[in-house]
Amino acid sequence: MSKALGFDLSTVEPEEGAPAPERVLEGDPRFLTWNLEDAGNGLYAGVWQSTPGTWRVSYDEWEYFSILEGHSILTEEGGQPVHLRAGDRMIIRPGFQGIWQVVETTRKDYVVRL
């Protein structure tokens, strides 16, 4: 088994999802997630995509992501909106609470650590 893993989405079937209905504030956002790394040790990596909509988010995990395409706005509770577009990167720490708004279908790659 190789110790290097490319982000080849053709090697995995995407999981479909959506935010919990009680978290949705606007629209009908739908997710596709290509989870490429799940070694069972609490570390995940892959690609996530969402259609437009707005919902409340609450992070228990640490996440790094890079926006690949689209436009989203992430607003931390009590903070200012941050517009995210292709090339933008961010780290979200455990305890983050706020609003995620997908303005244009957004795709990001991510690394999550539980």
Side-chain angles (χ1 to χ4, degrees):
M1 179 170 152
S2 174
K3 297 294 183 185
L5 177 65
F7 270 50
D8 181 359
L9 301 187
S10 70
T11 64
V12 294
E13 195 67 33
E15 298 173 22
E16 295 182 24
E22 65 273 11
R23 291 185 175 269
V24 175
L25 301 172
E26 181 180 24
D28 185 24
R30 297 291 173 194
F31 307 154
L32 290 175
T33 304
W34 294 264
N35 202 32
L36 296 161
E37 175 70 87
D38 179 0
N41 61 359
L43 181 71
Y44 303 90
V47 175
W48 172 89
Q49 178 176 293
S50 178
T51 59
T54 305
W55 63 96
R56 286 187 294 281
V57 293
S58 178
Y59 282 72
D60 295 326
E61 66 278 356
W62 177 96
E63 179 179 353
Y64 163 85
F65 65 80
S66 176
I67 301 293
L68 302 172
E69 60 187 57
H71 176 205
S72 283
I73 302 169
L74 185 60
T75 308
E76 186 170 7
E77 223 172 59
Q80 296 297 313
V82 177
H83 290 259
L84 299 167
R85 293 184 174 86
D88 290 334
R89 293 172 294 280
M90 183 172 276
I91 292 173
I92 298 179
R93 295 185 177 115
F96 179 98
Q97 294 192 33
I99 304 292
W100 189 290
Q101 178 184 10
V102 174
V103 179
E104 298 170 0
T105 296
T106 297
R107 183 179 280 206
K108 66 179 182 174
D109 60 13
Y110 65 85
V111 177
V112 170
R113 180 73 179 182
L114 300 180

